[in-house]
Amino acid sequence: LSDLVSTDIDIETGVAVITMNYMPVNSLSLEMFQALSASIKSIEQDERLQALVLQSGNPSIFSAGLDLREMADPDPDRLNAFWTSFQQLYLDLYGSRLASIAAIEGHAPAAGCMLALSCDYRIMSETEDKHAPTIGLNETQFGIVAPPFLAQQLIDTIGRRPAELSLSLGTLYSPDDAMAIGLVDEVVSRDVVRQRAQETASQWARIPSVARVASKMLIRQDAIASLKQNREKDLEQFVSFCLDERTQKNLQAYLVKLTSRKK
Ligand code: CO8
């Protein structure tokens, strides 16, 4: 698992950096979820660490979201484990005692956007020449629906009406548009995203942690409790939606489209 995710720690600043290295696009497979959760847990166990930066080893893609191959023609046991580990990562990152800063240098669609939304602060690379990163929950664009816990995260971040529009249309935003609706907190040039994320993490690491974590939980505890209480139902809904013939057809068509784009 360690090849998928690497962790660097700096005791002096109290900041850990998690780099996602599942090439080419950091799609979120079962193993990727497990590796990310394990790495968050191990950082949390070190009391000297107060913050983390989440970044990608591929500067043009933060994460392409759920690994669609996990959902196309799936093995039922693996599908259950896959979704359960997705829920777990949401709980681990969104509910972490660590202050988390997303360094978004490249695309962050769907569950890639969830990774960013689960952090406390989002810094995105600006559009430069041919590099035009996008972020958002684009599920409806290919005929699937964001799960309730993910939709709620968007509502809690950008507000109800913008989230309704965003979810219905499956909008992927440019960095400036994402900044305008509050989906990201800062847009900076690509070569300073990581540095800026580290500075921000160091700053967050210096806030008295008991007060910082309590404040974070004031905002997040209801959503977290809601998923904890509804995990089984959420899993059943996902599995039945995923195995539905129409969903499978949409997914297969989307995968073919993705693969044939470059031909
Ligand atoms: N899963 C699996 N494989 C992927 C994914 C993915 N999400 N994204 C890309 N790939 C594959 C491509 O098929 C391609 O494979 P190959 O080399 O074999 O042809 C390879 O990765 C490289 O991809 P691209 O050539 O497309 O790379 P680009 O740099 O041109 O583009 C992008 C990168 C922009 C990330 C582009 O690949 C893309 O748009 N990917 C799809 C992103 C997406 O729509 N993700 C949504 C996933 S669904 C989700 O996260 C939440 C669903 C929750 C609800 C589920 C209820 C059922």
Side-chain angles (χ1 to χ4, degrees), residues 62 101-108 112-127 133-136 153-154 157-158 172-188 193:
F62 182 68
I101 313 297
I104 312 159
E105 292 166 292
H107 297 290
C113 180
M114 179 286 268
L115 291 179
L117 285 170
S118 298
C119 290
D120 292 282
Y121 197 80
R122 289 163 281 286
I123 300 172
M124 192 169 185
S125 161
E126 65 192 16
T127 301
T134 56
I135 184 166
Q153 247 184 345
L154 189 70
T157 307
I158 65 172
L172 286 173
Y173 297 92
S174 69
D176 286 344
D177 290 347
M179 174 92 184
I181 60 166
L183 182 53
V184 299
D185 299 296
E186 269 182 56
V187 174
V188 299
V193 171

Side-chain angles (χ1 to χ4, degrees), residues 24-25 27 61 64-69 71 83 86 107 109-112 138-139 142 144-147 238 241-242 247 254-255 258-259 261-262:
V25 293
S27 55
I61 299 161
L66 294 187
D67 194 317
L68 295 160
R69 294 163 299 185
M71 298 189 287
W83 194 258
F86 179 31
H107 297 290
N138 61 329
E139 282 85 347
F142 48 99
I144 63 177
V145 185
F238 165 71
F241 183 73
C242 189
T247 311
Y254 188 61
L255 270 170
L258 263 183
T259 311
R261 271 192 319 158
K262 8 177 196 210

Side-chain angles (χ1 to χ4, degrees), residues 23 30 34 39 43 62 69 75 90 100 111 114 122 128 131 133 141 165 204 213 229 247:
M23 296 305 143
L30 169 61
Q34 290 171 339
S39 135
I43 297 166
F62 182 68
R69 294 163 299 185
D75 167 76
Y90 162 89
S100 48
M114 179 286 268
R122 289 163 281 286
E128 283 167 9
H131 177 70
Q141 292 271 358
L165 283 173
W204 281 64
V213 176
Q229 277 155 21
T247 311

Side-chain angles (χ1 to χ4, degrees), residues 21-139:
N21 286 317
Y22 185 31
M23 296 305 143
V25 293
N26 281 327
S27 55
L28 298 166
S29 62
L30 169 61
E31 288 76 16
M32 190 64 177
F33 283 134
Q34 290 171 339
L36 283 165
S37 278
S39 135
I40 295 163
K41 289 274 166 221
S42 86
I43 297 166
E44 278 187 341
Q45 274 160 17
D46 189 333
E47 284 173 8
R48 297 166 302 176
L49 299 172
Q50 296 302 335
L52 71 82
V53 170
L54 182 63
Q55 64 186 29
S56 166
N58 174 355
S60 59
I61 299 161
F62 182 68
S63 163
L66 294 187
D67 194 317
L68 295 160
R69 294 163 299 185
E70 295 277 11
M71 298 189 287
D73 195 16
D75 167 76
D77 287 344
R78 186 171 167 104
L79 190 68
N80 277 355
F82 168 69
W83 194 258
T84 303
S85 68
F86 179 31
Q87 296 172 331
Q88 190 58 49
L89 178 61
Y90 162 89
L91 294 171
D92 291 341
L93 187 56
Y94 200 49
S96 175
R97 73 163 182 85
L98 300 160
S100 48
I101 313 297
I104 312 159
E105 292 166 292
H107 297 290
C113 180
M114 179 286 268
L115 291 179
L117 285 170
S118 298
C119 290
D120 292 282
Y121 197 80
R122 289 163 281 286
I123 300 172
M124 192 169 185
S125 161
E126 65 192 16
T127 301
E128 283 167 9
D129 301 327
K130 287 185 194 144
H131 177 70
T134 56
I135 184 166
L137 299 183
N138 61 329
E139 282 85 347

